[in-house]
Amino acid sequence: TSPVHFVHDGVFVSPELDPLEKTVRVTAEIDIIGSGHPLVTVIATLVDMSGESVASNESYNVTLAEGFPQTVTVLLSGAHVKVWSIQSPHMYSVMMVLKDVSHGTIFDTLHISAGFRQTEWKVDTNFKLNGDSIKFRGFSHHNSFAGVGVAIPDRIHLFRAQASRAVGGSFWRMSHNPYLPALYDFLDVLGIISWDENRDYGLEYVGAMHDMVKRDRNHPSIVVWSYCNEVECEQIYNKTGPQFRIAAKSLDPQRPTAANGPTNGLDIQGLSHAKNTSFEDFHQQYPDMPLVLSECCSCETQRLLRQDTTTCMHDQNSPGLLPYVAGSLGVWTLFDYYGESHEWPSVTSSFGNFDLAGFPKPHVYWYVLNWMVMIDSLDKGRPPLPVPDVTRILDLPNLIYHSVAVLSSGAEVELSVNGKVLGRQPTHGSGEPVLFNLGGECVFAVNVSGVYCTGLKRVTEVNVTTPTECKAICCQDNDCSVWQFSVWKGTPFCSTGNVDPTTECVKPNKIRVGGARSGHPKSGIHDLKAVSYDSHGHMTSSHTLHGAKDAAAIVLSLDVPSQSTGTGSALALDGHDAALVRASVVDESGALATYSTANITFRVLSGPARLIGVGNGDDNCHQNAKSDHVPAYGGLARGIFQVTTDCVSENRDYVLQIDAEHDGQTKVYPPGNCTEVTAIRVQGSSPGLQSGSLIIPVSSSANDLPLNTAIKSVFPENYTYLRDFDG
């Protein structure tokens, strides 16, 4: 390494493109270690994705001396630059050369990935990208996944990013810390806007804010820097906010600063889980401050313990539709994560629209319907994916008391029970579930008045003022078996849930009245089928659910890499790449055995791979994530397999030199000497069931690395994961 060099993270290619000057500004911090006073210059060349040079220029000459780093500026013409956007995320590379003026020697080189766009935040027009007004629709995230925890392989990050786009999410909130650099690269090439968030807030953490901005500022996807989250932001009257602002603006003067909570020194105010009235009050008090709903919608559900969260999602997203609010960018969350469970034995959250293993929950289809189908395909804030047809039954056959809820993008939707058509209803284009009443009286024969039932959740989505109204809410919810109503200090309370009244409703409480269902869910319902029709009566899509049957076999399928998830068609042999394998427990007819808890063992039969984790999405599962087996949940389990050959990664010749352990887990080949390109064969087995096996394709080409796969998957027309998911 030359003693004359570019400082780490010291090159800044500003993504903000002046609409009038059309100039790309490049600043480079350079330094020398040791003696000497070389006269140097910096050459910057802008190159498009095809490798063609777009613009080039050189800085003025400077003399370096140890202990006195210099910063130089290079201005490039942006006249022929194509702007970066959600629907067309054009990317470039800036080739940096640090050159000795006197001798023509090249001291250092660097390639910076870059994209250019024009952004503007105003109260009256909210957020503008390249002159187009955009309403944010996006999700908050925690860096967590089944089987691997926070050590998420790059291709699984790609899987998560594509899942966000598939449900209409064009905004990614880093909560509550900066993420792995590779993730930002995916967001850049896929056209997903992001909110980068600092972790700790206080004067002692100003350096962390500085380092985050310096590391991440070249990414065009980042449009705002966030200081803090919620309670950590509550330092309104001290010097923290202004110092954080100085740290950010000294490195990146153009991006605005924000926070997910009230503090000072901000350009944009984000509010967390705030109602419309909170935004109205803030806007009235600070009419010139742009606003955004930066976190909302902690709506809980699981694939088996299903809750109707559509009302929660609709109501809590609504502040983002106010004319002076830039949108809803931080729905909590896209995926479940370890921690923030309610109480033992739960060990993960239930807020996600996908579970911890990456399996979609039923109510994620509300976002597909409302954020994809019902948003104009020309909307500049909508991901550039085809408009899907949505038909989804939100209930399971063996958990039905009174009605069945169906989401549909059609003009009408029809429900059949055990092959018999129950009826057809209009959807009215509302984006909300259609309820089919199965008949029969809703009976709460067990009296739970005069006692307190633990485990119930207060109904806040609607105003409930009488016991009759509270009972009716529980009656319409297939997941509700107990309701209780009370009035405390003049305020009515309605609480509902699914608990055992014999064990959970015992503590005396004389102000409560309520009831519990006496019977079990409706028996005899084995099959449900919903069919959507357009306004001309033509079928557009359908969804079928089969009731629980005896398990007979295990079927393996490949979710990553897969064209169906926008994650490519093969694993790259880079020593790190990983696959997501789905194990489905099925009956003799091939239908998913929804209630099977068969203990599934994963193993590698042949090929360059090892099992690195297992999971199932169950928030109550305590199985060691690093074991080779896991019980099925909802009839499904997940195995994560990682390649054990590296003949693709850059600089692997250095890896051969510094790997002192030689533990044999990963075999590294020198450049040009990759001989082990054999596919991976894996198996899923369980006692008493027919085993399943699967081939995972592999590649020794750098074109199949996760980032290059993402570049080729900006417009994934074959994304069918949500449409075809059975679970």
Side-chain angles (χ1 to χ4, degrees):
T1 301
S2 170
V4 182
H5 61 279
F6 290 110
V7 173
H8 181 64
D9 290 334
V11 175
F12 178 35
V13 183
S14 176
E16 195 65 36
L17 188 65
D18 188 295
L20 298 178
E21 295 182 0
K22 285 290 186 75
T23 299
V24 174
R25 177 178 290 271
V26 181
T27 59
E29 190 178 356
I30 52 181
D31 202 359
I32 183 173
I33 300 174
S35 61
H37 298 82
L39 183 67
V40 301
T41 186
V42 171
I43 303 169
T45 303
L46 185 64
V47 179
D48 65 19
M49 294 297 286
S50 68
E52 293 293 322
S53 175
V54 176
S56 186
N57 203 358
E58 188 172 340
S59 74
Y60 45 85
N61 299 339
V62 295
T63 300
L64 292 178
E66 186 175 27
F68 297 92
Q70 301 270 7
T71 298
V72 299
T73 300
V74 183
L75 298 180
L76 300 174
S77 171
H80 301 292
V81 165
K82 295 180 180 179
V83 294
W84 183 96
S85 68
I86 293 171
Q87 296 197 328
S88 296
H90 294 287
M91 293 294 294
Y92 293 84
S93 178
V94 179
M95 301 175 62
M96 305 292 296
V97 176
L98 178 56
K99 185 177 180 181
D100 186 330
V101 174
S102 302
H103 303 95
T105 306
I106 294 176
F107 287 126
D108 199 4
T109 61
L110 193 64
H111 288 191
I112 302 293
S113 181
F116 308 98
R117 72 288 187 278
Q118 300 147 17
T119 61
E120 182 182 34
W121 295 75
K122 287 187 176 180
V123 174
D124 54 345
T125 57
N126 295 309
F127 176 77
K128 281 189 174 183
L129 181 63
N130 306 319
D132 296 312
S133 292
I134 287 176
K135 274 284 190 180
F136 296 141
R137 294 178 289 271
F139 297 87
S140 294
H141 300 262
H142 263 337
N143 196 41
S144 189
F145 199 83
V148 294
V150 300
I152 301 176
D154 287 355
R155 199 173 297 268
I156 298 180
H157 273 307
L158 175 58
F159 166 74
R160 287 156 60 92
Q162 294 286 35
S164 176
R165 301 173 78 217
V167 302
S170 57
F171 206 113
W172 185 293
R173 177 183 169 220
M174 307 287 174
S175 44
H176 308 287
N177 51 268
Y179 278 38
L180 190 73
L183 175 59
Y184 299 84
D185 293 334
F186 289 135
L187 303 186
D188 286 345
V189 301
L190 293 175
I192 301 176
I193 298 175
S194 61
W195 157 300
D196 209 5
E197 189 160 281
N198 171 68
R199 175 61 189 144
D200 295 305
Y201 194 50
L203 289 177
E204 64 270 39
Y205 302 114
V206 172
M209 182 71 184
H210 172 279
D211 293 347
M212 179 187 78
V213 174
K214 190 171 185 178
R215 189 196 74 167
D216 297 339
R217 57 187 172 164
N218 285 316
H219 293 283
S221 58
I222 299 173
V223 298
V224 63
W225 305 116
S226 173
Y227 296 165
C228 51
N229 175 62
E230 295 182 337
V231 66
E232 292 180 333
C233 299
E234 296 175 5
Q235 303 182 36
I236 300 174
Y237 300 109
N238 65 20
K239 299 179 181 179
T240 301
Q243 291 302 310
F244 267 56
R245 182 179 181 84
I246 290 171
K249 296 292 185 178
S250 66
L251 294 162
D252 178 17
Q254 293 173 304
R255 280 189 185 92
T257 58
N260 186 42
T263 190
N264 50 9
L266 303 180
D267 299 308
I268 313 295
Q269 181 61 68
L271 297 182
S272 180
H273 296 279
K275 297 182 182 298
N276 292 45
T277 52
S278 298
F279 281 91
E280 293 163 359
D281 293 343
F282 189 97
H283 178 62
Q284 187 173 11
Q285 188 173 1
Y286 305 100
D288 297 325
M289 173 72 85
L291 283 167
V292 67
L293 180 59
S294 45
E295 184 175 325
C296 77
C297 315
S298 295
C299 309
E300 298 177 275
T301 185
Q302 287 293 348
R303 284 188 292 116
L304 280 186
L305 298 176
R306 301 188 176 191
Q307 304 284 343
D308 184 0
T309 60
T310 55
T311 301
C312 170
M313 293 185 288
H314 177 276
D315 292 350
Q316 294 189 28
N317 270 297
S318 63
L321 300 176
L322 293 170
Y324 44 82
V325 178
S328 176
L329 66 82
V331 169
W332 196 263
T333 50
L334 186 61
F335 285 79
D336 281 346
Y337 51 92
Y338 288 112
E340 287 201 306
S341 59
H342 281 298
E343 57 187 22
W344 184 262
S346 178
V347 292
T348 75
S349 76
S350 295
F351 301 119
N353 288 276
F354 292 78
D355 66 23
L356 193 67
F359 298 130
K361 301 178 186 179
H363 292 87
V364 72
Y365 295 89
W366 184 91
Y367 285 104
V368 179
L369 183 54
N370 284 270
W371 283 11
M372 283 296 285
V373 177
M374 297 177 66
I375 300 297
D376 193 310
S377 60
L378 298 179
D379 186 296
K380 299 299 184 180
R382 182 188 183 279
L385 278 70
V387 179
D389 289 312
V390 176
T391 305
R392 205 71 185 181
I393 300 168
L394 302 184
D395 301 294
L396 291 171
N398 284 30
L399 282 179
I400 294 173
Y401 288 102
H402 185 64
S403 61
V404 175
V406 182
L407 279 172
S408 171
S409 59
E412 294 181 318
V413 62
E414 178 182 271
L415 181 71
S416 299
V417 179
N418 295 339
K420 181 180 179 181
V421 175
L422 184 66
R424 187 185 294 192
Q425 294 190 46
T427 64
H428 304 294
S430 66
E432 303 301 327
V434 174
L435 290 179
F436 288 87
N437 194 315
L438 299 185
E441 185 180 359
C442 192
V443 178
F444 294 91
V446 178
N447 184 12
V448 291
S449 300
V451 293
Y452 173 76
C453 297
T454 60
L456 301 184
K457 185 177 180 181
R458 184 185 175 190
V459 175
T460 58
E461 293 83 3
V462 294
N463 187 28
V464 182
T465 59
T466 67
T468 302
E469 293 173 351
C470 187
K471 174 183 176 181
I473 289 175
C474 186
C475 183
Q476 291 297 323
D477 184 356
N478 285 324
D479 302 312
C480 180
S481 62
V482 177
W483 65 272
Q484 283 197 311
F485 181 85
S486 62
V487 178
W488 175 250
K489 294 184 177 180
T491 301
F493 291 84
C494 173
S495 300
T496 64
N498 190 355
V499 300
D500 184 351
T502 62
T503 59
E504 305 299 328
C505 303
V506 294
K507 185 178 180 180
N509 187 306
K510 61 183 179 180
I511 70 170
R512 294 195 172 218
V513 296
R517 298 185 194 264
S518 58
H520 296 286
K522 288 183 178 292
S523 60
I525 297 179
H526 304 297
D527 297 291
L528 296 171
K529 183 177 182 180
V531 181
S532 294
Y533 298 89
D534 63 20
S535 58
H536 302 290
H538 300 138
M539 187 186 85
T540 56
S541 60
S542 65
H543 181 220
T544 301
L545 284 178
H546 301 283
K549 299 177 182 177
D550 292 337
I554 295 171
V555 174
L556 299 188
S557 53
L558 188 60
D559 289 333
V560 174
S562 172
Q563 299 293 346
S564 69
T565 55
T567 56
S569 56
L571 291 183
L573 293 174
D574 64 351
H576 302 283
D577 211 355
L580 294 180
V581 173
R582 184 197 323 181
S584 302
V585 184
V586 300
D587 65 12
E588 289 184 349
S589 68
L592 185 70
T594 311
Y595 296 102
S596 172
T597 58
N599 198 35
I600 299 175
T601 297
F602 293 95
R603 68 188 184 105
V604 177
L605 296 177
S606 61
R610 62 190 177 107
L611 179 70
I612 62 170
V614 295
N616 59 15
D618 181 7
D619 61 320
N620 293 317
C621 182
H622 302 157
Q623 178 64 37
N624 183 352
K626 294 301 181 182
S627 69
D628 63 353
H629 60 277
V630 67
Y633 176 69
L636 302 177
R638 176 75 79 195
I640 305 174
F641 296 87
Q642 187 173 55
V643 297
T644 56
T645 293
D646 182 3
C647 57
V648 178
S649 67
E650 291 184 327
N651 303 318
R652 61 186 179 278
D653 48 334
Y654 293 114
V655 175
L656 286 169
Q657 298 175 31
I658 65 174
D659 184 7
E661 296 178 353
H662 296 289
D663 57 9
Q665 285 193 343
T666 301
K667 189 171 184 179
V668 182
Y669 287 88
N673 189 27
C674 189
T675 60
E676 193 175 317
V677 188
T678 57
I680 300 162
R681 187 165 175 254
V682 300
Q683 182 188 67
S685 62
S686 185
L689 302 181
Q690 181 180 335
S691 299
S693 62
L694 176 74
I695 298 294
I696 303 174
V698 299
S699 169
S700 61
S701 170
N703 289 330
D704 290 310
L705 287 166
L707 183 58
N708 292 329
T709 297
I711 293 171
K712 295 181 290 185
S713 303
V714 177
F715 308 102
E717 295 185 0
N718 296 323
Y719 189 100
T720 57
Y721 181 59
L722 290 169
R723 184 197 70 187
D724 298 339
F725 181 76
D726 186 13

